[in-house]
Amino acid sequence: MKHLRQFLFASLLAFLALATLSACSSQQAGSSTKRVTITFWHGMTDSRKTELNHLIRTFNNSQTTYKVIGSSQGNIVNVQQKITAAAKSKTLPTIAQTVYTNVPDYVRGDIITPFDPYIKKNDLSDLHTAFRQSINYQGKAYSMPFSRSARILFYNKTLLKKEGLKVPTTWADIQKDGLQLKSKGITAMAFDQNFVTEADGLTRQAGSPLFGNGFDVNLTNKKSLAAIHVIWDMLQNGTATTAGTDGYGSVAFFKGKTLFYSGSSAGISTMQASTPKGMRWGTATLPSYQGQKVSSNSGNDIVMFKSASKAQRKGAAAFVKFLMSQKQTIKWAEKTGYVPLTKSAKSNAGYQQFLAKNPTAKAAENSLSFGFQDKPFLGYNQYLVAVGKSFDEMTANHVTPEKAMTQLQKQLPKMAKEQQK
Amino acid sequence: MQVTLKGIQLAYDRHNKIFDQLSFHVQDGELLALLGPSGSGKSTILNLIAGLLTPNAGQILFDETDVTKLDARNRNIGMVFQDYALYPQLNVMDNIAFPLKMAHVKKATRREQAQKLAKLVHIESLLTKFPNELSGGQQQRVAIARALAKKPKILLLDEPLSNLDAGLRVELRDEIRHIQQVTGVTTIFVTHDQNDALRIADKIIVLANGVIQQVSTGADLYRHPRNLFVAQFIGSPKINTIPVANLIPYISKEIPASILTQAVTAAFRSESITNDPVANALMTNLPVTMTHQVQIGRDSQTQLQFENNRLISTAISDNYTQKIQTINVAPRGFFLFNDDDVCIWEGDAHD
Amino acid sequence: MINAKPTLKSTLKALLYLAPLLIVTITFTIWPLISSFLMSFYTKYNYFTNQVKAMGGANFAYLWQNPDFHLAVRNTLVFVIGVVPLTVILSLGIALLLNQINWLSSFFRTIYFLPFVTSTVAISLVWNWIFHQDNGLLNALLGGSVDWLNDPHYSLTALIIVCVWRGLGFNIVLFLAGLNNIDNHYYQAAKLDGASAWQQFTNVTLPMLAPITVLITVNEIISSFKVFDQIYALFHGQAGPANADLTMMYYLYQKFYVEGQYPVAAASGVVLFIFIVIITGLAFWYFQRHSIKIWGRRS
C-alpha cells in the first residue's frame, strides 16, 4: 500500500514536470516564429502517412510564415464522419482530405470556401483535364486534387502465356477469352466489390453515361443498357466475377482464378507486397468499347473550410500549390502509387526513369489522357447508394439490367425532388 | 420402518474422516433426536440416510433391506430442510403436492391429499399463497406437509426449529411430536438444542466430532452421563466441573480410595450444591464466596467462587441475605470422571 | 436523522449531489434524444447551418413508403427472431454443461468469453474465412458450396450465426452466475420428492433461472435491434449482398453518414426507438403478468 502511494506520488510529480516542460517548449516555438498554423485532417495511414508527413515537413521547412499540422483520422470515411461532427461543434480544421463528390453537400452546408481567390487559373493549367473538370462546382474550384488514381487492367502473365492469349484491347476480346477459359474454371475478369465503376466507364464510352448531369440521366436507353450487358452477361455466364465480401478482385486474381482484374492503380503497392510466390503479373490500360478508351479516376481532394482565417486560407493555398507542384507530385506518386497530377510529369526525366524501373506504374500514367471523373452534384452520394443497390440486384439476384435500370430510373424524380429541401 | 446404520465410514479425503465405524439403530415409529454441537456430523447422518451422500464403507438398512446404494429418489423418504427449500415459484398447494406430481398422481387426487396434509399441519387457509408471503413457522409447516405428501416410511428433519423465534419454536416442537404420533412415521430429527431433543424425542443420540457419545432417553442422559461431554452438554445450567485434586480435603469417606485415585474430574449439577446440611453429603464445608444471585423464572441461581473455580447452584434458597461461607454437595448429580473422561462413579448409585 | 422532513435546503443539497451525474446524463443522453427526435420532424433542414425552414411528418411518410426501410424493418425482425431464442437456448445449454464439469471449466469459460472481448473487425476476418465459398471451414464441414456472404439467401443466416456466437460468452457467464445462485437444497429436496434429472431441470433449474433469463432476453432483444458493426465489418462496409443484411440501424447509418439525409436518419432512429420500447415493454408486461410463476412473488 505504502509503495503504491509512493509510486503514484512519483508518477504525479513526473507528469507535472513533463507538463511544465512541454508547456515551455510549445510557448517557445509559438513566440519565436509566430507562424500561422494550418490544420490538415487526412485519411492516410502507414507508409502513405509517413510520406505525407515528409511532404508536410518539407513544406514547413521551406518557408517561415506557415506551419501545417497533419492529423490522420485512419481512413477517408472517418475523415468524412469527423467533418460532419466538427461542422456542428465548430471545430473544423483548416483543410481536409475528402471525396470531391462531397463538395456539393459542403457548399450547401456553407462550410467550405473555394480556392479561386488564392490559386490562379493559370496555376492549374498543367493539371490533367479530368482533374481540372472535377474540381469545378458551380463555376468555382472548391477542391484541389491530391491523392488520385486510375482504373487499370491487371493481367496474370503466366496464365496469359499458358493460354496463348494476348493483352486485350477491347471488351469483346475479354468476352472471347472468357469463353475459352470457362471450361477450366477460370474467369476472364474479376471486379472489385461491384462493377459500378466499370459500368460507369462503359456507358460513357457508349455515349449515355450512368453518372452524367446530376439526376438528369437516361439509364434505360439502348446504348446504356448494351454497355451494362457487356459485363452483366459475363457475370451471368460465369466468365466474370465480382469480389463481394472479398472486397477486392485481387483476392481471386492472386488465387489464379481469373486472368484479368480491373482495379485501381492505387492498389499496386499493396498488391506487390502480397503477390504469391511464383506469380507474375502486369498492368495495361483498360480495353476500349465502341472504339473509345476511358479510365475512371478516383481518389481524394483537399477542401478548405470557411472557418479558416484569411491568413490560414492563404497558407492552405500555398501548401496545396506545393503539393501540386511538379517535383512534389512526382515524388508523392513514386512513393505511394498515386498518379502525378500534372500533364508535364510524363516528360519529366526523373519520372521517366521511375517508370522504366516500375513498368506496372505505366498503365496508370497512360490512362490519364483519357481519364474521366463523375461530375459532382447535390445528392451524388444518395444516387451512388441507389446505383450500388441496383447493381447488387443485378449481381446477387440476377436481375436483368433492363429491369434494374427501369426501377432506378423511376426513383430519380423523387430523389431529385428530395434535394430541393 | 426400522433404520440401521452399520459400520459407516465417510471421508471427504483420506485424512479427513467424518465417520469411522458409526453404527446405530432406530426402532419403527420412533422419534429419534440427533443431538450435538455444530460440526458434530448430525446433518451428514441425515444426508446418508436420505441417500444424498454415499458412505465409503458400511451399510444402511431399512428394515432388512440394504439401501446403501439405492438412489435418493427411490428411498421413500420425506425430508425437511433447515431453510425449508420450498419452491418459490409454486404456491403452498403445489408445493405440498409436488412429490405427488412427480409420482404422476392425478391432479384431483393430488389436490385432495394436499388439502388433507394442510389440515394436519394447520395451514388450510394458506393454500393459494406463495412461500415468500409466509412467515417462518408457516413455511416450516408447508415443508413438513410436503415431506409427508408421499407417505414416507421415514421422516427426516434437519434443524427444523432453529430458524424460528422462541414462541413458535415451542409451538412447532409440540406440533412435530403430534404429527409424528398421528402418522406413526419413523422420524429422525437433528438439533443442536437439548431442549428440543429432551422435550419430544423418544431416544436421543448425542454426537460429538462424528462419534456417538451416548444413546439413551433424555432422563437417562441427564442422570447417567456416560462421559464428561454428555454431562456437560446435557443440562442447564451447565454442570459444575472441578479437578479432583483441588477437592481432596473436602471429599467424604463415602468415595472409595480406589475410585479416587483414578478420578481426574469431579462434576456436580447445580441442584446438588446447598448451604444446608445434607444427608450422605459427598463433600462438606467447601469454603466459598458468593458473588452473585439472580432469579430466573422459577429458579434462583447463585454464583459462588471456590478457589479459582466458579460454581453455580440452584439449590440455595433465594433472597439469602447472609453471606455464605461454606457449601455441601449432595450425592445425587455428582459424578467422577477418569482421565479418559469416562464416568467411573455416580454419587447416588451406591446407596 | 431518520425523520427529517425534506426542506428547500435539503432538496437543493440533494440536487447538488446529483448534479454531476444529472449533467452528464442530460448532455449525453437526454439532449441528443430530444434533438434527434426534433430533427426527425424537420422537413426543410440544413444540417450544417442548422437552419430549419419547415417541419412536419414528411420524413415518417417517406419511411412509410420507402421499400428500403421496409426491407430494413423486415431484416431486423428476422434477425431478432433468429438471434434471441438461439442465443438464450445455446448459452443456457452451454452454461449447464460447463456447470457440470469441474475439470477445465475455467478454460472453457475463457474460450467462450473471448469473442465478447475481441474486436468485431478481427472476428469478422475470421468468419469471412469460415464462410468463404471456396476454402471456407463451414463449407468444408457441411460439404456444400454455399456462398454464405455473397448469396442473399444465406447472408442473413451468416450474420445471425456470427452474432449468436459473439453473444454466447457474455450470456453464458450470466447464466453460470444464475446457476451458482441456486441453493443445492432445492435439488436435494426435488430429488427426495422423486424428481428425475429432467424434472429437476424443469422444476428447479428453469424456474430459478427465470429472472436472469428475462434479463438476458430483454438485453439481447435490445442489442439485436441495434445490430450494426458486425454487418459493417462482415460485409466490407456494405449491408450484405443486395441489401440482404440491411437492418434499421444500418439504414440509419447509411442515411446519415453516406447519403446525408439527416432528418430521414433521425426519423428512422425514432422508429427504431419506438420498436425497441414496444417490444421490451411487451416483454416486461408479459414477465410482470407471469411474475408469480417466475419470481414466486407478486409485483
Side-chain angles (χ1 to χ4, degrees):
Chain A
M1 204 49 210
K2 197 179 162 197
H3 284 289
L4 182 68
R5 210 174 298 161
Q6 276 173 349
F7 172 74
L8 284 176
F9 185 66
S11 353
L12 183 69
L13 272 182
F15 175 75
L16 282 176
L18 273 175
T20 329
L21 278 177
S22 60
C24 293
S25 64
S26 64
Q27 251 170 9
Q28 270 173 359
S31 59
S32 68
T33 60
K34 275 188 187 164
R35 286 179 168 205
V36 176
T37 306
I38 290 132
T39 44
F40 175 31
W41 289 355
H42 60 83
M44 301 282 98
T45 48
D46 302 328
S47 62
R48 283 175 181 163
K49 183 181 162 187
T50 316
E51 193 47 43
L52 180 54
N53 284 340
H54 184 72
L55 283 180
I56 291 172
R57 226 173 306 127
T58 316
F59 174 75
N60 286 345
N61 292 338
S62 69
Q63 39 70 50
T64 50
T65 334
Y66 309 113
K67 186 172 185 240
V68 175
I69 297 172
S71 145
S72 172
Q73 308 298 327
N75 60 45
I76 286 294
V77 176
N78 284 358
V79 178
Q80 216 168 301
Q81 293 182 0
K82 199 151 176 204
I83 291 174
T84 312
K88 274 274 174 183
S89 58
K90 309 216 182 302
T91 50
L92 284 166
T94 317
I95 49 175
Q97 186 189 21
T98 186
V99 188
Y100 75 99
T101 47
N102 285 334
V103 162
D105 284 326
Y106 293 162
V107 171
R108 183 170 176 264
D110 203 23
I111 56 170
I112 58 172
T113 183
F115 282 93
D116 299 64
Y118 315 98
I119 297 179
K120 286 184 228 111
K121 279 254 153 58
N122 240 358
D123 295 333
L124 304 174
S125 57
D126 196 22
L127 292 181
H128 284 286
T129 324
F131 301 157
R132 252 187 299 137
Q133 280 169 352
S134 71
I135 61 175
N136 188 334
Y137 179 66
Q138 294 178 341
K140 286 175 185 155
Y142 276 102
S143 70
M144 287 293 141
F146 174 46
S147 49
R148 289 301 184 92
S149 59
R151 204 132 271 256
I152 53 169
L153 187 81
F154 295 83
Y155 60 92
N156 185 329
K157 276 187 177 169
T158 328
L159 200 59
L160 196 74
K161 202 173 169 191
K162 199 177 125 199
E163 295 296 327
L165 296 172
K166 281 190 290 186
V167 175
T169 53
T170 66
W171 279 92
D173 289 345
I174 296 181
Q175 284 178 312
K176 212 171 66 209
D177 295 347
L179 295 174
Q180 183 183 330
L181 294 164
K182 198 181 169 187
S183 59
K184 288 160 189 155
I186 297 168
T187 58
M189 185 65 134
F191 301 98
D192 283 340
Q193 205 157 13
N194 59 38
F195 65 102
V196 174
T197 315
E198 285 76 14
D200 189 10
L202 279 162
T203 50
R204 197 166 291 264
Q205 284 158 310
S208 175
L210 201 51
F211 291 82
N213 191 18
F215 289 104
D216 185 18
V217 284
N218 189 341
L219 304 168
T220 49
N221 76 36
K222 272 187 190 147
K223 286 191 258 176
S224 165
L225 287 174
I228 297 172
H229 260 290
V230 169
I231 293 174
W232 190 76
D233 290 350
M234 289 175 74
L235 291 174
Q236 294 313 301
N237 69 20
T239 54
T241 54
T242 50
T245 44
D246 280 346
Y248 295 100
S250 52
V251 177
F253 184 67
F254 282 153
K255 276 187 198 152
K257 304 198 94 181
T258 184
L259 179 59
F260 306 118
Y261 157 49
S262 165
S264 164
S265 65
I268 290 180
S269 52
T270 327
M271 280 180 71
Q272 274 167 342
S274 52
T275 303
K277 250 190 183 163
M279 179 173 177
R280 286 170 59 243
W281 51 269
T283 57
T285 55
L286 280 174
S288 68
Y289 176 66
Q290 306 283 12
Q292 280 211 46
K293 269 179 107 72
V294 296
S295 168
S296 166
N297 292 334
S298 53
N300 300 295
D301 288 15
I302 291 173
V303 293
M304 180 158 71
F305 294 101
K306 220 172 185 175
S307 50
S309 70
K310 196 151 191 193
Q312 282 178 317
R313 292 180 194 191
K314 274 185 182 166
F319 177 60
V320 172
K321 263 201 267 185
F322 168 80
L323 291 178
M324 293 190 297
S325 68
Q326 183 79 302
K327 192 178 162 194
Q328 304 309 333
T329 194
I330 287 176
K331 198 172 154 202
W332 175 241
E334 287 178 0
K335 296 279 182 186
T336 60
Y338 289 118
V339 293
L341 299 169
T342 55
K343 287 188 251 183
S344 55
K346 202 172 182 174
S347 46
N348 180 288
Y351 191 57
Q352 274 177 346
Q353 241 175 8
F354 169 79
L355 286 180
K357 266 191 226 159
N358 298 277
T360 50
K362 273 188 204 157
E365 178 59 37
N366 292 338
S367 298
L368 292 175
S369 58
F370 47 82
F372 76 90
Q373 285 195 271
D374 297 336
K375 199 176 164 197
F377 61 91
L378 205 54
Y380 178 90
N381 289 324
Q382 206 191 349
Y383 180 60
L384 187 64
V385 168
V387 170
K389 197 192 148 205
S390 298
F391 276 71
D392 247 19
E393 287 287 337
M394 284 191 255
T395 317
N397 285 337
H398 313 288
V399 174
T400 61
E402 285 76 10
K403 205 173 156 195
M405 289 299 110
T406 311
Q407 262 174 357
L408 182 58
Q409 184 82 50
K410 261 194 240 157
Q411 296 172 30
L412 296 183
K414 206 175 166 193
M415 286 166 75
K417 213 179 123 201
E418 266 158 39
Q419 295 304 325
Q420 311 300 316
K421 282 194 260 183
Chain B
M1 195 183 286
Q2 298 179 40
V3 180
T4 311
L5 273 70
K6 265 193 205 165
I8 294 293
Q9 196 191 83
L10 183 73
Y12 285 129
D13 57 65
R14 206 173 288 174
H15 305 290
N16 289 314
K17 276 190 189 149
I18 301 165
F19 301 124
D20 197 9
Q21 296 301 320
L22 179 89
S23 304
F24 68 85
H25 178 79
V26 191
Q27 293 292 335
D28 184 25
E30 199 170 37
L31 177 52
L32 173 89
L34 283 170
L35 178 65
S38 52
S40 58
K42 314 174 297 260
S43 297
T44 315
I45 292 179
L46 280 200
N47 287 338
L48 281 166
I49 296 172
L52 299 171
L53 281 173
T54 316
N56 300 76
Q59 273 185 312
I60 298 167
L61 304 177
F62 287 180
D63 284 341
E64 305 304 319
T65 323
D66 186 345
V67 297
T68 318
K69 296 273 184 297
L70 194 66
D71 190 77
R73 285 177 62 206
N74 305 319
R75 290 199 186 186
N76 198 13
I77 276 172
M79 184 157 169
V80 176
F81 291 87
Q82 186 173 354
D83 55 6
Y84 320 129
L86 297 177
Y87 309 117
Q89 77 278 12
L90 301 181
N91 65 18
V92 170
M93 165 74 89
D94 293 337
N95 257 294
I96 298 175
F98 185 78
L100 301 172
K101 193 180 168 193
M102 293 302 107
H104 305 293
V105 176
K106 275 193 188 142
K107 196 170 183 184
T109 326
R110 277 192 335 237
R111 297 181 74 87
E112 198 185 309
Q113 296 234 21
Q115 261 155 358
K116 255 189 225 163
L117 284 162
K119 212 171 212 172
L120 177 70
V121 296
H122 307 299
I123 46 164
E124 56 269 50
S125 61
L126 304 173
L127 283 170
T128 55
K129 299 240 175 191
F130 282 83
N132 81 322
E133 299 172 309
L134 304 178
S135 70
Q138 289 168 332
Q139 291 188 42
Q140 176 67 274
R141 289 164 192 268
V142 178
I144 293 172
R146 183 180 66 180
L148 292 171
K150 55 174 187 180
K151 299 204 172 64
K153 292 284 160 57
I154 300 159
L155 179 64
L156 305 175
L157 303 145
D158 189 359
E159 297 273 8
L161 305 167
S162 64
N163 287 349
L164 304 177
D165 59 54
L168 262 176
R169 211 180 160 102
V170 173
E171 188 187 322
L172 261 161
R173 193 156 70 193
D174 297 335
E175 189 78 33
I176 289 171
R177 181 69 189 156
H178 169 74
I179 292 164
Q180 197 267 337
Q181 277 170 350
V182 171
T183 55
V185 61
T186 308
T187 304
I188 301 173
F189 90 99
V190 155
T191 180
H192 65 272
D193 187 327
Q194 50 169 312
N195 291 321
D196 294 341
L198 295 169
R199 183 79 180 239
I200 60 172
D202 296 322
K203 192 164 85 185
I204 298 171
I205 294 181
V206 180
L207 210 68
N209 301 319
V211 177
I212 294 179
Q213 305 295 322
Q214 193 167 354
V215 184
S216 200
T217 60
D220 206 39
L221 290 173
Y222 187 76
R223 294 276 289 111
H224 309 294
R226 233 189 59 192
N227 60 26
L228 185 58
F229 176 83
V230 178
Q232 286 185 308
F233 195 68
I234 305 284
S236 173
K238 204 171 159 184
I239 199 163
N240 299 297
T241 51
I242 296 180
V244 171
N246 298 10
L247 297 170
I248 296 291
Y250 315 102
I251 285 181
S252 78
K253 302 284 186 292
E254 300 262 342
I255 304 172
S258 58
I259 294 286
L260 267 183
T261 51
Q262 289 177 56
V264 174
T265 311
F268 38 99
R269 303 234 178 251
S270 61
E271 62 266 28
S272 66
I273 301 175
T274 170
N275 57 332
D276 299 325
V278 189
N280 303 326
L282 292 179
M283 294 193 288
T284 46
N285 295 324
L286 264 81
V288 293
T289 47
M290 189 178 104
T291 54
H292 193 53
Q293 191 175 44
V294 286
Q295 188 72 31
I296 301 170
R298 195 163 36 79
D299 296 333
S300 84
Q301 281 190 10
T302 310
Q303 288 188 14
L304 305 158
Q305 191 76 22
F306 164 70
E307 294 177 359
N308 284 328
N309 307 285
R310 203 196 281 174
L311 305 174
I312 292 180
S313 163
T314 46
I316 293 170
S317 50
D318 53 339
N319 296 325
Y320 196 88
T321 46
Q322 213 181 318
K323 285 266 183 228
I324 297 168
Q325 273 149 13
T326 58
I327 52 160
N328 306 317
V329 176
R332 190 182 161 108
F334 181 93
F335 311 98
L336 287 174
F337 300 91
N338 67 8
D339 63 350
D340 288 327
D341 289 342
V342 174
C343 185
I344 49 170
W345 209 71
E346 293 184 11
D348 61 346
H350 309 277
D351 295 335
Chain C
M1 267 177 293
I2 296 166
N3 59 345
K5 284 207 181 94
T7 61
L8 185 67
K9 201 180 154 195
S10 73
T11 313
L12 280 175
K13 215 157 115 186
L15 269 176
L16 202 67
Y17 289 139
L18 286 172
L21 193 67
L22 271 179
I23 288 167
V24 168
T25 317
I26 289 171
T27 331
F28 294 104
T29 311
I30 314 261
W31 173 241
L33 205 73
I34 293 171
S35 64
S36 64
F37 184 76
L38 285 176
M39 199 197 277
S40 69
F41 288 98
Y42 300 164
T43 49
K44 279 195 174 179
Y45 175 59
N46 189 326
Y47 169 85
F48 292 105
T49 55
N50 234 349
Q51 276 178 309
V52 185
K53 288 187 190 136
M55 286 180 74
N59 298 317
F60 292 97
Y62 173 88
L63 292 179
W64 183 254
Q65 289 165 351
N66 185 245
D68 281 353
F69 188 67
H70 299 170
L71 181 68
V73 171
R74 205 179 64 208
N75 285 342
T76 309
L77 291 178
V78 171
F79 177 80
V80 170
I81 291 166
V83 164
V84 177
L86 257 180
T87 308
V88 173
I89 291 168
L90 273 178
S91 45
L92 173 61
I94 296 170
L96 285 170
L97 290 178
L98 285 182
N99 209 35
Q100 293 294 318
I101 54 166
N102 296 319
W103 195 65
L104 285 183
S105 80
S106 59
F107 168 74
F108 282 116
R109 233 174 268 202
T110 316
I111 291 281
Y112 281 109
F113 199 71
L114 271 179
F116 188 74
V117 290
T118 311
S119 85
T120 315
V121 177
I123 285 174
S124 299
L125 274 176
V126 173
W127 279 97
N128 248 306
W129 170 70
I130 294 176
F131 283 131
H132 206 277
Q133 183 179 15
D134 302 323
N135 41 15
L137 188 67
L138 197 60
N139 278 339
L141 283 177
L142 298 176
S145 175
V146 175
D147 197 351
W148 289 96
L149 296 179
N150 297 311
D151 188 330
H153 299 100
Y154 294 99
S155 60
L156 195 55
T157 313
L159 180 70
I160 289 173
I161 292 173
V162 174
C163 291
V164 167
W165 177 76
R166 176 134 209 241
L168 278 185
F170 187 64
N171 293 326
I172 287 171
V173 169
L174 287 181
F175 269 127
L176 280 173
L179 284 170
N180 275 332
N181 271 337
I182 302 177
D183 195 321
N184 203 27
H185 275 171
Y186 290 112
Y187 290 106
Q188 297 183 341
K191 210 189 260 184
L192 291 169
D193 289 342
S196 63
W198 174 251
Q199 283 169 325
Q200 285 172 41
F201 174 69
T202 55
N203 288 290
V204 177
T205 313
L206 277 189
M208 298 271 176
L209 282 181
I212 199 87
T213 314
V214 172
L215 177 81
I216 290 173
T217 309
V218 172
N219 187 37
E220 270 299 311
I221 290 176
I222 294 175
S223 60
S224 296
F225 260 103
K226 297 195 295 188
V227 66
F228 168 76
D229 48 348
Q230 282 92 340
I231 306 171
Y232 192 86
L234 194 62
F235 297 102
H236 253 260
Q238 290 211 320
N243 276 347
D245 297 76
L246 181 74
T247 59
M248 290 167 83
M249 200 67 182
Y250 202 98
Y251 182 89
L252 192 159
Y253 164 83
Q254 209 168 44
K255 286 286 168 203
F256 193 92
Y257 280 116
V258 181
E259 298 185 27
Q261 301 235 61
Y262 306 104
V264 174
S268 68
V270 169
V271 174
L272 176 61
F273 179 73
I274 291 169
F275 259 98
I276 293 177
V277 166
I278 288 176
I279 295 205
T280 50
L282 275 176
F284 270 119
W285 172 80
Y286 176 84
F287 291 130
Q288 290 270 314
R289 246 180 86 101
H290 295 84
S291 68
I292 200 110
K293 282 213 181 98
I294 294 167
W295 285 280
R297 75 173 77 101
R298 299 175 212 275
S299 49

